[in-house]
Amino acid sequence: MSDEKRLSITEHLEELRSRLIISLVAILVTTAIAYVFSDQILYILRAPAGDIKLQAFSPLDGFMIRFRVALYGGLFLAAPVWIYQVLRYLEPGLLPNEKRFVMPGVATMVVLFALGNAFGYLMLKNMMSVLFSMFGSELNYLPSADQYISFVVYFLVSTGIAFEVPIILLLLIKIGLVSPQFLRKQRKIAYFIIFV
């Protein structure tokens, strides 16, 4: 029998609530900081598209686009806090040999996500050139700020998540949910999923 104290459902919900509050406060603080620098962030996100001027089509677009950029920035900056809170909430359900992977797992996930974002950002310039060239002479691209920012942010999040695959697989192997033999058998499917 385990020496660890078992929590009731109410205590589990209370812990979940406190961890959510900590995560939300961290996200709110980092979002407020990112909002102050939203012009600089917008400039960085627009830079891969060259010298295009983004268009806003609604009186609220100025605020809403800046707020969304700040929220994305806040989520990114607060990632160490909310990832840590998620893993700490899950930690009581882990075995002692699995718990030692929590802190290295948080650090590795944050670093890999940042590397994925950097890689995606470096790819954006060439990708934008290819996409813009597909308009040809018959179509005129009028870049909507809202759609452009959404595209760039989703692309960066996607590359960040793609870079998380190695640590996720390693953690799944360490806790015994999958085996290296199973992964070897499913290699072709994994390559296809990663490509998509």
Side-chain angles (χ1 to χ4, degrees):
M1 189 168 152
S2 173
D3 293 334
E4 287 196 28
K5 179 187 160 203
R6 300 230 178 246
L7 299 177
S8 69
I9 291 187
T10 308
E11 289 169 321
H12 272 297
L13 291 174
E14 192 63 36
E15 184 186 1
L16 177 63
R17 186 176 74 94
S18 67
R19 297 209 178 274
L20 281 173
I21 289 170
I22 292 168
S23 299
L24 287 173
V25 167
I27 290 168
L28 284 173
V29 169
T30 53
T31 298
I33 293 167
Y35 191 84
V36 172
F37 297 100
S38 59
D39 280 338
Q40 292 85 346
I41 297 170
L42 276 168
Y43 176 80
I44 291 167
L45 294 177
R46 187 197 53 75
D51 57 357
I52 66 166
K53 191 83 171 161
L54 298 177
Q55 311 294 317
F57 299 103
S58 160
L60 284 176
D61 275 357
F63 170 74
M64 291 306 296
I65 290 167
R66 278 185 169 71
F67 177 74
R68 281 179 52 204
V69 165
L71 183 59
Y72 296 141
L75 285 167
F76 178 78
L77 292 172
V81 175
W82 59 261
I83 290 172
Y84 176 76
Q85 293 301 322
V86 167
L87 292 177
R88 284 303 303 262
Y89 179 73
L90 298 175
E91 190 179 31
L94 301 175
L95 297 172
N97 66 323
E98 297 166 349
K99 288 181 182 181
R100 61 191 169 107
F101 294 111
V102 170
M103 287 311 292
V106 170
T108 307
M109 289 175 85
V110 170
V111 169
L112 286 174
F113 190 77
L115 286 173
N117 275 257
F119 175 75
Y121 187 79
L122 292 174
M123 285 178 53
L124 270 172
K125 184 171 185 178
N126 290 332
M127 192 172 72
M128 289 298 181
S129 298
V130 170
L131 291 174
F132 291 164
S133 70
M134 291 182 184
F135 284 102
S137 58
E138 299 303 315
L139 295 172
N140 185 28
Y141 175 53
L142 189 62
S144 159
D146 185 42
Q147 291 175 349
Y148 174 83
I149 296 300
S150 293
F151 171 78
V152 169
V153 167
Y154 292 143
F155 180 75
L156 294 177
V157 168
S158 299
T159 55
I161 290 171
F163 270 58
E164 298 286 345
V165 171
I167 189 69
I168 291 169
L169 289 177
L170 180 65
L171 290 172
L172 290 175
I173 290 169
K174 290 290 185 189
I175 61 176
L177 287 178
V178 295
S179 68
Q181 295 78 17
F182 172 79
L183 292 174
R184 267 189 227 107
K185 286 180 189 172
Q186 306 301 326
R187 188 178 326 167
K188 290 178 184 175
I189 294 169
Y191 289 154
F192 176 74
I193 292 170
I194 291 168
F195 174 76
V196 169

